[in-house]
Each structure stands twice: as C-alpha cells, then as structure tokens.
PDB file of all heavy atoms in Angstrom:
ATOM      1  N   THR H   9     -17.846  -4.334   5.101  1.00  0.00           N
ATOM      2  CA  THR H   9     -19.228  -5.053   5.278  1.00  0.00           C
ATOM      3  C   THR H   9     -20.149  -4.082   5.867  1.00  0.00           C
ATOM      4  O   THR H   9     -21.341  -4.006   5.349  1.00  0.00           O
ATOM      5  CB  THR H   9     -19.035  -6.300   6.208  1.00  0.00           C
ATOM      6  OG1 THR H   9     -17.966  -7.172   5.618  1.00  0.00           O
ATOM      7  CG2 THR H   9     -20.342  -6.954   6.342  1.00  0.00           C
ATOM      8  N   ASN H  10     -19.877  -3.353   6.892  1.00  0.00           N
ATOM      9  CA  ASN H  10     -20.712  -2.427   7.580  1.00  0.00           C
ATOM     10  C   ASN H  10     -21.185  -1.340   6.499  1.00  0.00           C
ATOM     11  O   ASN H  10     -22.332  -0.903   6.463  1.00  0.00           O
ATOM     12  CB  ASN H  10     -20.116  -1.779   8.794  1.00  0.00           C
ATOM     13  CG  ASN H  10     -19.871  -2.816   9.920  1.00  0.00           C
ATOM     14  OD1 ASN H  10     -20.628  -3.839   9.936  1.00  0.00           O
ATOM     15  ND2 ASN H  10     -18.995  -2.523  10.871  1.00  0.00           N
ATOM     16  N   GLN H  11     -20.298  -0.824   5.806  1.00  0.00           N
ATOM     17  CA  GLN H  11     -20.631   0.146   4.847  1.00  0.00           C
ATOM     18  C   GLN H  11     -21.544  -0.323   3.683  1.00  0.00           C
ATOM     19  O   GLN H  11     -22.486   0.438   3.251  1.00  0.00           O
ATOM     20  CB  GLN H  11     -19.338   0.772   4.144  1.00  0.00           C
ATOM     21  CG  GLN H  11     -18.443   1.583   5.052  1.00  0.00           C
ATOM     22  CD  GLN H  11     -17.030   1.871   4.574  1.00  0.00           C
ATOM     23  OE1 GLN H  11     -16.755   1.518   3.476  1.00  0.00           O
ATOM     24  NE2 GLN H  11     -16.349   2.660   5.349  1.00  0.00           N
ATOM     25  N   TYR H  12     -21.268  -1.577   3.274  1.00  0.00           N
ATOM     26  CA  TYR H  12     -22.077  -2.117   2.311  1.00  0.00           C
ATOM     27  C   TYR H  12     -23.594  -2.309   2.875  1.00  0.00           C
ATOM     28  O   TYR H  12     -24.584  -2.015   2.116  1.00  0.00           O
ATOM     29  CB  TYR H  12     -21.462  -3.481   1.873  1.00  0.00           C
ATOM     30  CG  TYR H  12     -22.426  -4.282   0.977  1.00  0.00           C
ATOM     31  CD1 TYR H  12     -22.714  -3.848  -0.404  1.00  0.00           C
ATOM     32  CD2 TYR H  12     -22.889  -5.476   1.328  1.00  0.00           C
ATOM     33  CE1 TYR H  12     -23.568  -4.569  -1.241  1.00  0.00           C
ATOM     34  CE2 TYR H  12     -23.743  -6.362   0.544  1.00  0.00           C
ATOM     35  CZ  TYR H  12     -23.965  -5.795  -0.717  1.00  0.00           C
ATOM     36  OH  TYR H  12     -24.885  -6.614  -1.581  1.00  0.00           O
ATOM     37  N   ILE H  13     -23.689  -2.949   3.999  1.00  0.00           N
ATOM     38  CA  ILE H  13     -25.010  -3.022   4.703  1.00  0.00           C
ATOM     39  C   ILE H  13     -25.723  -1.661   4.846  1.00  0.00           C
ATOM     40  O   ILE H  13     -26.939  -1.573   4.515  1.00  0.00           O
ATOM     41  CB  ILE H  13     -24.912  -3.741   6.039  1.00  0.00           C
ATOM     42  CG1 ILE H  13     -24.307  -5.219   5.842  1.00  0.00           C
ATOM     43  CG2 ILE H  13     -26.177  -3.763   6.782  1.00  0.00           C
ATOM     44  CD1 ILE H  13     -24.011  -5.789   7.070  1.00  0.00           C
ATOM     45  N   LEU H  14     -25.019  -0.677   5.241  1.00  0.00           N
ATOM     46  CA  LEU H  14     -25.540   0.783   5.429  1.00  0.00           C
ATOM     47  C   LEU H  14     -26.074   1.204   4.081  1.00  0.00           C
ATOM     48  O   LEU H  14     -27.083   1.758   3.936  1.00  0.00           O
ATOM     49  CB  LEU H  14     -24.610   1.566   6.082  1.00  0.00           C
ATOM     50  CG  LEU H  14     -25.027   3.020   6.366  1.00  0.00           C
ATOM     51  CD1 LEU H  14     -26.196   2.944   7.488  1.00  0.00           C
ATOM     52  CD2 LEU H  14     -23.951   3.859   6.973  1.00  0.00           C
ATOM     53  N   ALA H  15     -25.241   0.975   2.984  1.00  0.00           N
ATOM     54  CA  ALA H  15     -25.624   1.423   1.716  1.00  0.00           C
ATOM     55  C   ALA H  15     -26.928   0.789   1.227  1.00  0.00           C
ATOM     56  O   ALA H  15     -27.805   1.435   0.625  1.00  0.00           O
ATOM     57  CB  ALA H  15     -24.426   1.199   0.699  1.00  0.00           C
ATOM     58  N   LEU H  16     -27.009  -0.538   1.534  1.00  0.00           N
ATOM     59  CA  LEU H  16     -28.328  -1.246   1.185  1.00  0.00           C
ATOM     60  C   LEU H  16     -29.522  -0.654   1.888  1.00  0.00           C
ATOM     61  O   LEU H  16     -30.645  -0.475   1.276  1.00  0.00           O
ATOM     62  CB  LEU H  16     -28.127  -2.703   1.475  1.00  0.00           C
ATOM     63  CG  LEU H  16     -27.211  -3.604   0.722  1.00  0.00           C
ATOM     64  CD1 LEU H  16     -27.116  -4.978   1.185  1.00  0.00           C
ATOM     65  CD2 LEU H  16     -27.631  -3.692  -0.875  1.00  0.00           C
ATOM     66  N   LYS H  17     -29.345  -0.363   3.235  1.00  0.00           N
ATOM     67  CA  LYS H  17     -30.407   0.154   3.933  1.00  0.00           C
ATOM     68  C   LYS H  17     -30.872   1.489   3.522  1.00  0.00           C
ATOM     69  O   LYS H  17     -32.062   1.870   3.479  1.00  0.00           O
ATOM     70  CB  LYS H  17     -30.063   0.261   5.418  1.00  0.00           C
ATOM     71  CG  LYS H  17     -30.009  -1.208   6.079  1.00  0.00           C
ATOM     72  CD  LYS H  17     -29.609  -0.982   7.549  1.00  0.00           C
ATOM     73  CE  LYS H  17     -29.573  -2.399   8.306  1.00  0.00           C
ATOM     74  NZ  LYS H  17     -29.145  -2.174   9.696  1.00  0.00           N
ATOM     75  N   ASN H  18     -29.892   2.270   3.004  1.00  0.00           N
ATOM     76  CA  ASN H  18     -30.096   3.652   2.595  1.00  0.00           C
ATOM     77  C   ASN H  18     -30.425   3.881   1.148  1.00  0.00           C
ATOM     78  O   ASN H  18     -30.479   4.993   0.592  1.00  0.00           O
ATOM     79  CB  ASN H  18     -28.974   4.660   3.053  1.00  0.00           C
ATOM     80  CG  ASN H  18     -28.786   4.644   4.490  1.00  0.00           C
ATOM     81  OD1 ASN H  18     -29.738   4.522   5.328  1.00  0.00           O
ATOM     82  ND2 ASN H  18     -27.581   5.075   5.024  1.00  0.00           N
ATOM     83  N   ASN H  19     -30.484   2.736   0.382  1.00  0.00           N
ATOM     84  CA  ASN H  19     -30.715   2.770  -0.957  1.00  0.00           C
ATOM     85  C   ASN H  19     -29.655   3.624  -1.711  1.00  0.00           C
ATOM     86  O   ASN H  19     -29.974   4.328  -2.652  1.00  0.00           O
ATOM     87  CB  ASN H  19     -32.131   3.355  -1.281  1.00  0.00           C
ATOM     88  CG  ASN H  19     -33.286   2.448  -0.847  1.00  0.00           C
ATOM     89  OD1 ASN H  19     -33.245   1.124  -1.004  1.00  0.00           O
ATOM     90  ND2 ASN H  19     -34.219   2.973  -0.176  1.00  0.00           N
ATOM     91  N   SER H  20     -28.415   3.448  -1.246  1.00  0.00           N
ATOM     92  CA  SER H  20     -27.281   4.272  -1.902  1.00  0.00           C
ATOM     93  C   SER H  20     -26.243   3.233  -2.329  1.00  0.00           C
ATOM     94  O   SER H  20     -24.997   3.669  -2.372  1.00  0.00           O
ATOM     95  CB  SER H  20     -26.641   5.175  -0.852  1.00  0.00           C
ATOM     96  OG  SER H  20     -26.374   4.493   0.289  1.00  0.00           O
ATOM     97  N   ILE H  21     -26.640   2.084  -2.863  1.00  0.00           N
ATOM     98  CA  ILE H  21     -25.633   1.064  -3.259  1.00  0.00           C
ATOM     99  C   ILE H  21     -24.924   1.505  -4.488  1.00  0.00           C
ATOM    100  O   ILE H  21     -23.734   1.229  -4.640  1.00  0.00           O
ATOM    101  CB  ILE H  21     -26.373  -0.178  -3.486  1.00  0.00           C
ATOM    102  CG1 ILE H  21     -25.314  -1.360  -3.382  1.00  0.00           C
ATOM    103  CG2 ILE H  21     -27.247  -0.257  -4.743  1.00  0.00           C
ATOM    104  CD1 ILE H  21     -24.629  -1.650  -2.207  1.00  0.00           C
ATOM    105  N   ASP H  22     -25.585   2.288  -5.348  1.00  0.00           N
ATOM    106  CA  ASP H  22     -24.863   2.765  -6.553  1.00  0.00           C
ATOM    107  C   ASP H  22     -23.749   3.686  -6.215  1.00  0.00           C
ATOM    108  O   ASP H  22     -22.649   3.621  -6.712  1.00  0.00           O
ATOM    109  CB  ASP H  22     -25.756   3.418  -7.528  1.00  0.00           C
ATOM    110  CG  ASP H  22     -26.832   2.454  -8.144  1.00  0.00           C
ATOM    111  OD1 ASP H  22     -26.527   1.239  -8.236  1.00  0.00           O
ATOM    112  OD2 ASP H  22     -27.833   2.923  -8.632  1.00  0.00           O
ATOM    113  N   GLU H  23     -23.904   4.566  -5.265  1.00  0.00           N
ATOM    114  CA  GLU H  23     -22.845   5.595  -4.799  1.00  0.00           C
ATOM    115  C   GLU H  23     -21.745   4.728  -4.073  1.00  0.00           C
ATOM    116  O   GLU H  23     -20.624   5.080  -4.236  1.00  0.00           O
ATOM    117  CB  GLU H  23     -23.459   6.538  -3.880  1.00  0.00           C
ATOM    118  CG  GLU H  23     -24.388   7.615  -4.560  1.00  0.00           C
ATOM    119  CD  GLU H  23     -25.889   7.076  -4.511  1.00  0.00           C
ATOM    120  OE1 GLU H  23     -26.120   5.976  -4.408  1.00  0.00           O
ATOM    121  OE2 GLU H  23     -26.707   7.926  -4.932  1.00  0.00           O
ATOM    122  N   PHE H  24     -22.153   3.746  -3.344  1.00  0.00           N
ATOM    123  CA  PHE H  24     -21.118   2.833  -2.681  1.00  0.00           C
ATOM    124  C   PHE H  24     -20.215   2.282  -3.771  1.00  0.00           C
ATOM    125  O   PHE H  24     -18.917   2.403  -3.553  1.00  0.00           O
ATOM    126  CB  PHE H  24     -21.903   1.783  -1.802  1.00  0.00           C
ATOM    127  CG  PHE H  24     -20.981   0.813  -1.317  1.00  0.00           C
ATOM    128  CD1 PHE H  24     -20.200   1.091  -0.137  1.00  0.00           C
ATOM    129  CD2 PHE H  24     -20.704  -0.438  -1.834  1.00  0.00           C
ATOM    130  CE1 PHE H  24     -19.367   0.113   0.474  1.00  0.00           C
ATOM    131  CE2 PHE H  24     -19.897  -1.359  -1.279  1.00  0.00           C
ATOM    132  CZ  PHE H  24     -19.205  -1.040  -0.066  1.00  0.00           C
ATOM    133  N   HIS H  25     -20.795   1.600  -4.727  1.00  0.00           N
ATOM    134  CA  HIS H  25     -20.009   0.990  -5.817  1.00  0.00           C
ATOM    135  C   HIS H  25     -19.186   1.955  -6.550  1.00  0.00           C
ATOM    136  O   HIS H  25     -17.998   1.740  -6.828  1.00  0.00           O
ATOM    137  CB  HIS H  25     -21.058   0.329  -6.807  1.00  0.00           C
ATOM    138  CG  HIS H  25     -21.498  -1.005  -6.271  1.00  0.00           C
ATOM    139  ND1 HIS H  25     -22.526  -1.684  -6.902  1.00  0.00           N
ATOM    140  CD2 HIS H  25     -21.208  -1.800  -5.223  1.00  0.00           C
ATOM    141  CE1 HIS H  25     -22.843  -2.813  -6.226  1.00  0.00           C
ATOM    142  NE2 HIS H  25     -22.070  -2.806  -5.146  1.00  0.00           N
ATOM    143  N   GLU H  26     -19.745   3.081  -6.810  1.00  0.00           N
ATOM    144  CA  GLU H  26     -19.021   4.117  -7.575  1.00  0.00           C
ATOM    145  C   GLU H  26     -17.743   4.617  -6.798  1.00  0.00           C
ATOM    146  O   GLU H  26     -16.707   4.742  -7.494  1.00  0.00           O
ATOM    147  CB  GLU H  26     -19.931   5.392  -7.810  1.00  0.00           C
ATOM    148  CG  GLU H  26     -19.317   6.362  -8.802  1.00  0.00           C
ATOM    149  CD  GLU H  26     -19.339   5.899 -10.224  1.00  0.00           C
ATOM    150  OE1 GLU H  26     -19.902   4.870 -10.513  1.00  0.00           O
ATOM    151  OE2 GLU H  26     -18.703   6.622 -11.050  1.00  0.00           O
ATOM    152  N   GLN H  27     -17.832   4.796  -5.558  1.00  0.00           N
ATOM    153  CA  GLN H  27     -16.695   5.252  -4.771  1.00  0.00           C
ATOM    154  C   GLN H  27     -15.591   4.125  -4.830  1.00  0.00           C
ATOM    155  O   GLN H  27     -14.328   4.383  -5.023  1.00  0.00           O
ATOM    156  CB  GLN H  27     -17.091   5.516  -3.333  1.00  0.00           C
ATOM    157  CG  GLN H  27     -17.884   6.837  -3.079  1.00  0.00           C
ATOM    158  CD  GLN H  27     -18.201   7.094  -1.707  1.00  0.00           C
ATOM    159  OE1 GLN H  27     -18.553   6.183  -0.925  1.00  0.00           O
ATOM    160  NE2 GLN H  27     -18.216   8.289  -1.247  1.00  0.00           N
ATOM    161  N   TYR H  28     -15.908   2.937  -4.556  1.00  0.00           N
ATOM    162  CA  TYR H  28     -14.901   1.886  -4.567  1.00  0.00           C
ATOM    163  C   TYR H  28     -14.409   1.520  -5.880  1.00  0.00           C
ATOM    164  O   TYR H  28     -13.171   1.319  -6.031  1.00  0.00           O
ATOM    165  CB  TYR H  28     -15.522   0.622  -3.948  1.00  0.00           C
ATOM    166  CG  TYR H  28     -15.391   0.600  -2.382  1.00  0.00           C
ATOM    167  CD1 TYR H  28     -16.458   1.107  -1.604  1.00  0.00           C
ATOM    168  CD2 TYR H  28     -14.281   0.207  -1.720  1.00  0.00           C
ATOM    169  CE1 TYR H  28     -16.280   1.053  -0.204  1.00  0.00           C
ATOM    170  CE2 TYR H  28     -14.231   0.139  -0.368  1.00  0.00           C
ATOM    171  CZ  TYR H  28     -15.225   0.680   0.379  1.00  0.00           C
ATOM    172  OH  TYR H  28     -15.042   0.749   1.763  1.00  0.00           O
ATOM    173  N   ARG H  29     -15.185   1.644  -6.988  1.00  0.00           N
ATOM    174  CA  ARG H  29     -14.736   1.249  -8.340  1.00  0.00           C
ATOM    175  C   ARG H  29     -13.838   2.325  -8.914  1.00  0.00           C
ATOM    176  O   ARG H  29     -13.103   1.937  -9.827  1.00  0.00           O
ATOM    177  CB  ARG H  29     -15.937   1.088  -9.139  1.00  0.00           C
ATOM    178  CG  ARG H  29     -16.545  -0.191  -8.908  1.00  0.00           C
ATOM    179  CD  ARG H  29     -17.995  -0.253  -9.684  1.00  0.00           C
ATOM    180  NE  ARG H  29     -18.614  -1.674  -9.592  1.00  0.00           N
ATOM    181  CZ  ARG H  29     -19.825  -1.859  -9.787  1.00  0.00           C
ATOM    182  NH1 ARG H  29     -20.675  -0.868 -10.270  1.00  0.00           N
ATOM    183  NH2 ARG H  29     -20.371  -3.039  -9.708  1.00  0.00           N
ATOM    184  N   ASN H  30     -13.750   3.525  -8.322  1.00  0.00           N
ATOM    185  CA  ASN H  30     -12.983   4.518  -8.970  1.00  0.00           C
ATOM    186  C   ASN H  30     -11.839   5.011  -8.207  1.00  0.00           C
ATOM    187  O   ASN H  30     -11.144   6.082  -8.393  1.00  0.00           O
ATOM    188  CB  ASN H  30     -13.887   5.833  -9.203  1.00  0.00           C
ATOM    189  CG  ASN H  30     -14.907   5.478 -10.386  1.00  0.00           C
ATOM    190  OD1 ASN H  30     -14.550   5.466 -11.556  1.00  0.00           O
ATOM    191  ND2 ASN H  30     -16.087   5.129  -9.952  1.00  0.00           N
ATOM    192  N   THR H  31     -11.493   4.173  -7.174  1.00  0.00           N
ATOM    193  CA  THR H  31     -10.205   4.597  -6.385  1.00  0.00           C
ATOM    194  C   THR H  31      -9.052   3.981  -7.160  1.00  0.00           C
ATOM    195  O   THR H  31      -9.152   3.100  -7.844  1.00  0.00           O
ATOM    196  CB  THR H  31     -10.349   4.030  -4.975  1.00  0.00           C
ATOM    197  OG1 THR H  31      -9.238   4.528  -4.154  1.00  0.00           O
ATOM    198  CG2 THR H  31     -10.225   2.437  -4.902  1.00  0.00           C
ATOM    199  N   ASP H  32      -7.844   4.681  -6.910  1.00  0.00           N
ATOM    200  CA  ASP H  32      -6.503   4.248  -7.489  1.00  0.00           C
ATOM    201  C   ASP H  32      -6.042   3.018  -6.690  1.00  0.00           C
ATOM    202  O   ASP H  32      -5.459   2.103  -7.348  1.00  0.00           O
ATOM    203  CB  ASP H  32      -5.632   5.241  -7.482  1.00  0.00           C
ATOM    204  CG  ASP H  32      -5.901   6.389  -8.418  1.00  0.00           C
ATOM    205  OD1 ASP H  32      -6.477   6.174  -9.554  1.00  0.00           O
ATOM    206  OD2 ASP H  32      -5.811   7.592  -8.094  1.00  0.00           O
ATOM    207  N   PHE H  33      -6.185   3.009  -5.439  1.00  0.00           N
ATOM    208  CA  PHE H  33      -5.647   1.953  -4.519  1.00  0.00           C
ATOM    209  C   PHE H  33      -6.905   1.534  -3.635  1.00  0.00           C
ATOM    210  O   PHE H  33      -7.447   2.427  -2.992  1.00  0.00           O
ATOM    211  CB  PHE H  33      -4.535   2.442  -3.687  1.00  0.00           C
ATOM    212  CG  PHE H  33      -3.196   2.384  -4.300  1.00  0.00           C
ATOM    213  CD1 PHE H  33      -2.830   3.333  -5.264  1.00  0.00           C
ATOM    214  CD2 PHE H  33      -2.233   1.424  -3.980  1.00  0.00           C
ATOM    215  CE1 PHE H  33      -1.582   3.434  -5.804  1.00  0.00           C
ATOM    216  CE2 PHE H  33      -1.000   1.438  -4.489  1.00  0.00           C
ATOM    217  CZ  PHE H  33      -0.639   2.469  -5.463  1.00  0.00           C
ATOM    218  N   LEU H  34      -7.114   0.216  -3.687  1.00  0.00           N
ATOM    219  CA  LEU H  34      -8.037  -0.335  -2.760  1.00  0.00           C
ATOM    220  C   LEU H  34      -7.325  -1.324  -1.764  1.00  0.00           C
ATOM    221  O   LEU H  34      -6.727  -2.331  -2.256  1.00  0.00           O
ATOM    222  CB  LEU H  34      -9.205  -1.030  -3.330  1.00  0.00           C
ATOM    223  CG  LEU H  34     -10.209  -1.877  -2.459  1.00  0.00           C
ATOM    224  CD1 LEU H  34     -10.825  -0.988  -1.355  1.00  0.00           C
ATOM    225  CD2 LEU H  34     -11.262  -2.611  -3.177  1.00  0.00           C
ATOM    226  N   LEU H  35      -7.287  -1.015  -0.394  1.00  0.00           N
ATOM    227  CA  LEU H  35      -6.540  -1.807   0.391  1.00  0.00           C
ATOM    228  C   LEU H  35      -7.561  -2.254   1.561  1.00  0.00           C
ATOM    229  O   LEU H  35      -8.120  -1.414   2.173  1.00  0.00           O
ATOM    230  CB  LEU H  35      -5.316  -1.080   1.066  1.00  0.00           C
ATOM    231  CG  LEU H  35      -4.382  -0.429   0.093  1.00  0.00           C
ATOM    232  CD1 LEU H  35      -4.627   1.046  -0.183  1.00  0.00           C
ATOM    233  CD2 LEU H  35      -2.904  -0.495   0.537  1.00  0.00           C
TER     234      LEU H  35
END
C-alpha cells in the first residue's frame, strides 16, 4: 500500500505496475 501511494505521488505508477506484473513470484 505504501509503495502504491508513493508511486501515485511521484507519477511513477507505470513503473510500479511493471515491476509487480513481471515478477515470477509475488508473495
């Protein structure tokens, strides 16, 4: 949640999504 909010504030939401969507394991 904190990383998502920070990404919104920094206008880096696309990078945030990209990192999470391309991991092999999300825990």
Side-chain angles (χ1 to χ4, degrees):
T9 302
N10 291 338
Q11 289 169 0
Y12 173 64
I13 293 171
L14 186 62
L16 288 174
K17 288 182 178 178
N18 294 337
N19 294 317
S20 58
I21 196 65
D22 290 340
E23 290 86 347
F24 173 82
H25 283 168
E26 188 71 10
Q27 286 180 323
Y28 273 93
R29 285 168 172 165
N30 289 284
T31 188
D32 298 315
F33 277 76
L34 173 59
L35 304 100

